[in-house]
Short mmCIF file of all heavy atoms in Angstrom, two decimals:
data_model
loop_
_atom_site.label_atom_id
_atom_site.label_comp_id
_atom_site.label_asym_id
_atom_site.label_seq_id
_atom_site.Cartn_x
_atom_site.Cartn_y
_atom_site.Cartn_z
N PRO A 152 -15.57 -18.85 6.55
CA PRO A 152 -15.75 -18.53 7.98
C PRO A 152 -15.02 -17.24 8.36
O PRO A 152 -13.88 -17.02 7.96
CB PRO A 152 -15.14 -19.74 8.69
CG PRO A 152 -15.27 -20.86 7.71
CD PRO A 152 -15.07 -20.22 6.36
N SER A 153 -15.68 -16.40 9.13
CA SER A 153 -15.11 -15.11 9.51
C SER A 153 -14.97 -14.93 11.01
O SER A 153 -14.66 -13.83 11.48
CB SER A 153 -15.97 -13.97 8.94
OG SER A 153 -17.30 -14.07 9.41
N ASP A 154 -15.20 -16.02 11.78
CA ASP A 154 -15.09 -15.90 13.23
C ASP A 154 -13.64 -15.81 13.68
O ASP A 154 -13.32 -15.15 14.67
CB ASP A 154 -15.80 -17.06 13.94
CG ASP A 154 -15.35 -18.41 13.43
OD1 ASP A 154 -14.80 -18.48 12.30
OD2 ASP A 154 -15.54 -19.41 14.14
N THR A 155 -12.73 -16.49 12.96
CA THR A 155 -11.30 -16.42 13.26
C THR A 155 -10.56 -16.22 11.95
O THR A 155 -10.68 -17.05 11.04
CB THR A 155 -10.80 -17.70 13.95
OG1 THR A 155 -11.59 -17.95 15.12
CG2 THR A 155 -9.34 -17.57 14.35
N VAL A 156 -9.79 -15.15 11.86
CA VAL A 156 -9.15 -14.78 10.60
C VAL A 156 -7.69 -14.43 10.86
O VAL A 156 -7.36 -13.77 11.84
CB VAL A 156 -9.86 -13.58 9.94
CG1 VAL A 156 -9.18 -13.20 8.63
CG2 VAL A 156 -11.33 -13.90 9.72
N LEU A 157 -6.81 -14.86 9.96
CA LEU A 157 -5.40 -14.49 10.03
C LEU A 157 -5.03 -13.78 8.74
O LEU A 157 -5.10 -14.35 7.66
CB LEU A 157 -4.51 -15.73 10.22
CG LEU A 157 -3.03 -15.46 10.52
CD1 LEU A 157 -2.43 -16.63 11.30
CD2 LEU A 157 -2.20 -15.23 9.26
N PHE A 158 -4.64 -12.50 8.86
CA PHE A 158 -4.19 -11.75 7.70
C PHE A 158 -2.69 -11.96 7.55
O PHE A 158 -1.91 -11.61 8.43
CB PHE A 158 -4.51 -10.27 7.85
CG PHE A 158 -3.95 -9.42 6.74
CD1 PHE A 158 -4.46 -9.53 5.45
CD2 PHE A 158 -2.89 -8.55 6.96
CE1 PHE A 158 -3.95 -8.77 4.41
CE2 PHE A 158 -2.37 -7.79 5.94
CZ PHE A 158 -2.90 -7.90 4.66
N ALA A 159 -2.27 -12.55 6.42
CA ALA A 159 -0.86 -12.90 6.21
C ALA A 159 -0.15 -11.99 5.22
O ALA A 159 1.02 -12.22 4.92
CB ALA A 159 -0.76 -14.36 5.73
N GLY A 160 -0.83 -10.98 4.69
CA GLY A 160 -0.18 -10.03 3.80
C GLY A 160 0.33 -10.68 2.52
O GLY A 160 -0.27 -11.60 1.98
N PHE A 161 1.49 -10.20 2.06
CA PHE A 161 2.12 -10.76 0.86
C PHE A 161 3.03 -11.92 1.25
O PHE A 161 3.80 -11.81 2.21
CB PHE A 161 2.96 -9.70 0.14
CG PHE A 161 2.15 -8.71 -0.65
CD1 PHE A 161 1.83 -7.47 -0.11
CD2 PHE A 161 1.70 -9.02 -1.92
CE1 PHE A 161 1.09 -6.55 -0.84
CE2 PHE A 161 0.95 -8.11 -2.66
CZ PHE A 161 0.65 -6.87 -2.12
N LEU A 162 2.98 -13.01 0.51
CA LEU A 162 3.91 -14.12 0.70
C LEU A 162 5.26 -13.77 0.07
O LEU A 162 5.33 -12.92 -0.82
CB LEU A 162 3.36 -15.39 0.03
CG LEU A 162 2.17 -16.04 0.70
CD1 LEU A 162 1.54 -17.08 -0.23
CD2 LEU A 162 2.57 -16.69 2.02
N PRO A 163 6.35 -14.43 0.50
CA PRO A 163 7.63 -14.24 -0.18
C PRO A 163 7.50 -14.59 -1.65
O PRO A 163 6.72 -15.47 -2.03
CB PRO A 163 8.57 -15.22 0.55
CG PRO A 163 7.94 -15.43 1.89
CD PRO A 163 6.46 -15.34 1.66
N GLN A 164 8.27 -13.92 -2.51
CA GLN A 164 8.17 -14.16 -3.95
C GLN A 164 8.86 -15.45 -4.38
O GLN A 164 8.39 -16.13 -5.29
CB GLN A 164 8.74 -12.97 -4.72
CG GLN A 164 7.97 -11.68 -4.53
CD GLN A 164 8.50 -10.55 -5.39
OE1 GLN A 164 9.11 -10.77 -6.42
NE2 GLN A 164 8.27 -9.32 -4.96
N LYS A 165 9.98 -15.80 -3.74
CA LYS A 165 10.74 -16.97 -4.15
C LYS A 165 10.10 -18.24 -3.61
O LYS A 165 9.50 -18.26 -2.54
CB LYS A 165 12.19 -16.85 -3.68
CG LYS A 165 12.94 -15.70 -4.35
CD LYS A 165 14.39 -15.67 -3.93
CE LYS A 165 15.14 -14.55 -4.64
NZ LYS A 165 16.57 -14.50 -4.23
#
Side-chain angles (χ1 to χ4, degrees):
S153 58
D154 53 340
T155 305
V156 180
L157 189 153
F158 175 69
F161 284 98
L162 289 167
Q164 295 185 24
K165 295 183 178 180

